[in-house]
Amino acid sequence: MKDLHSFSWYAARVKKHMPKDAFKPVPSRLFGGLIYLLITVASFLIIGLFNLHPLINLVFSVVIGASFAGLGFLGHEILHGTVVRKPWLRDTLGAIAFFPLSTGPKLWRKWHNMNHHVHTQHDENDPDAWPTLEKISKMKIFRWIYRLPLFIRAFFSFASLTVQFTAHSMKMFFVYIKEFKSGKQTEVWLQVVLPWVTWIGLLFIMGFEKWIFAFFIPLLIANFIVMAYISTNHRLNPLTPVNDPLANSLTVTVPKWVDKIHFNFSYHTEHHLFPGMSPKYYPLVKQHIKDMWPDRYHEMPMTRALIALWKTPRVYFEHNELVDPNSGNGFGSLGNKLNPRSILPRKLFKK
């Protein structure tokens, strides 16, 4: 991994080509969130007030789940300060957007903005980075899990995407709560507990069966949609000692209408260069990156990225290799001999 540069090094070179408006907040993005919110409330009322066939309720579950995910993408954008700048308004709107995913704005900014973005793909400091072989070799449960064949691990890994965001969010709460000042800890607790109290309260109001369709299934769907993106953001990239977004991040491509409803969340390399810029301008950032560093930039269709995730393990060996501890096979990483079109392992070590 020679010639790595920090995200600020790239940003300084791209920024001079960007219009000034690109660095201003874009409050109009809230209209998309309002639509999702209205769809969610209307769907809740329909499920709650009418005794519909389960298949019809399931259709509404999909609609609510997609709306939960859309609100989550907007919440991510809001809490980076690209929609509104006033802290109290930013956190209030962010809390509303993240309410379905039960993630508080103060926790998110601590975990995501201040740690993941600053230490992206650092093996020790990024809370979202996957472990090294050295680390998992010390954990008995992981040693057992990685004895299972890769296709079985892949199946359960993809199934776990339906709960992974929620589970990781709760883990991050317990990791970071002690780092907040004592006067702020109560607020952080409230921001996590209040959504869950609301959703559990909804169970007693609607009854178990309707609650399953109105919240539980939509939460699984929202987790899967959000994690389909998050799992491709960095998990095919190497661990890096320098926070170089062109080395450690991946932009996926999706149909334009999907970009529209997901607030351009697919432009992830661009986001790591300019986390404080509205994603509205990321297509322009992408154009400049590809003009300046075409050989460094990583992008691929979402479907190809997900297939590559299925076929490769999530353990790092010497930072650049994705290794299967069970077989000793290595697959490389993006920029380090991983070819997503033809994923072929090579033996790194013998068991």
Side-chain angles (χ1 to χ4, degrees):
M1 283 182 287
K2 296 179 181 179
D3 248 5
L4 294 177
H5 302 291
S6 69
F7 65 93
S8 59
W9 185 90
Y10 292 107
R13 284 154 179 78
V14 174
K15 184 176 181 180
K16 64 182 72 174
H17 300 288
M18 297 298 296
K20 290 182 179 180
D21 284 349
F23 301 94
K24 296 178 181 179
V26 185
S28 61
R29 307 283 281 180
L30 293 172
F31 286 114
L34 179 60
I35 292 171
Y36 280 130
L37 194 59
L38 292 173
I39 290 172
T40 298
V41 172
S43 299
F44 275 9
L45 290 172
I46 291 170
I47 291 174
L49 296 175
F50 301 100
N51 295 316
L52 302 173
H53 190 279
L55 289 177
I56 297 176
N57 279 338
L58 187 60
V59 171
F60 280 105
S61 293
V62 173
V63 171
I64 296 169
S67 298
F68 280 3
L71 284 167
F73 294 136
L74 179 61
H76 167 257
E77 189 173 327
I78 290 170
L79 292 175
H80 271 294
T82 67
V83 178
V84 293
R85 291 278 164 82
K86 288 183 178 180
W88 71 268
L89 183 58
R90 175 202 65 207
D91 282 5
T92 300
L93 293 171
I96 293 170
F98 266 127
F99 205 87
L101 295 172
S102 301
T103 302
K106 289 193 180 299
L107 172 64
W108 178 260
R109 285 172 57 77
K110 175 71 173 176
W111 149 33
H112 180 78
N113 295 19
M114 297 173 63
N115 284 277
H116 170 65
H117 268 274
V118 174
H119 305 293
T120 308
Q121 285 296 88
H122 189 282
D123 59 343
E124 295 289 340
N125 300 328
D126 182 0
D128 298 339
W130 278 74
T132 61
L133 182 61
E134 182 182 7
K135 279 186 180 179
I136 68 158
S137 65
K138 299 173 184 177
M139 303 175 187
K140 190 173 182 179
I141 181 66
F142 283 104
R143 290 202 305 269
W144 180 84
I145 289 172
Y146 281 100
R147 289 193 186 104
L148 297 171
L150 179 58
F151 77 92
I152 293 179
R153 279 181 273 136
F155 173 80
F156 283 103
S157 178
F158 268 64
S160 76
L161 295 182
T162 60
V163 298
Q164 213 171 98
F165 185 89
T166 300
H168 191 57
S169 180
M170 292 305 298
K171 177 186 175 182
M172 292 298 99
F173 171 76
F174 290 108
V175 166
Y176 289 114
I177 184 63
K178 58 184 177 290
E179 295 188 17
F180 288 94
K181 294 180 181 179
S182 57
K184 294 290 184 183
Q185 286 187 10
T186 302
E187 190 177 353
V188 178
W189 270 99
L190 283 172
Q191 290 177 356
V192 170
V193 171
L194 184 59
W196 283 112
V197 169
T198 302
W199 300 126
I200 293 170
L202 189 67
L203 166 62
F204 292 98
I205 294 170
M206 301 184 78
F208 182 74
E209 182 179 344
K210 291 186 176 183
W211 181 82
I212 289 291
F213 287 110
F215 177 69
F216 184 72
I217 294 174
L219 182 63
L220 299 181
I221 292 169
N223 265 268
F224 188 86
I225 294 171
V226 169
M227 289 307 304
Y229 282 102
I230 292 176
S231 62
T232 60
N233 290 165
H234 308 287
R235 294 182 185 180
L236 294 170
N237 297 82
L239 299 174
T240 56
V242 176
N243 188 357
D244 184 328
L246 269 67
N248 63 29
S249 302
L250 170 67
T251 286
V252 293
T253 55
V254 295
K256 287 185 178 180
W257 68 269
V258 176
D259 267 335
K260 194 76 173 176
I261 65 173
H262 290 164
F263 299 95
N264 279 356
F265 195 80
S266 64
Y267 292 83
H268 204 70
T269 301
E270 295 76 7
H271 173 61
H272 272 262
L273 255 67
F274 295 105
M277 176 190 289
S278 172
K280 172 183 176 180
Y281 295 96
Y282 285 165
L284 184 56
V285 174
K286 177 178 182 175
Q287 178 184 320
H288 290 305
I289 295 173
K290 294 181 77 169
D291 287 343
M292 296 180 191
W293 306 285
D295 297 334
R296 288 175 174 264
Y297 184 71
H298 297 298
E299 70 171 326
M300 70 179 79
M302 168 75 91
T303 51
R304 186 177 298 154
L306 289 171
I307 291 170
L309 284 171
W310 179 279
K311 292 183 176 180
T312 56
R314 304 272 71 77
V315 181
Y316 285 98
F317 179 71
E318 295 183 350
H319 295 87
N320 290 340
E321 293 281 348
L322 297 166
V323 66
D324 185 348
N326 185 51
S327 64
N329 288 335
F331 295 81
S333 56
L334 291 177
N336 298 281
K337 299 181 180 179
L338 176 67
N339 180 2
R341 293 176 181 273
S342 178
I343 297 175
L344 299 173
R346 61 184 184 282
K347 185 66 71 174
L348 290 181
F349 55 81
K350 293 182 179 180
K351 288 293 292 178

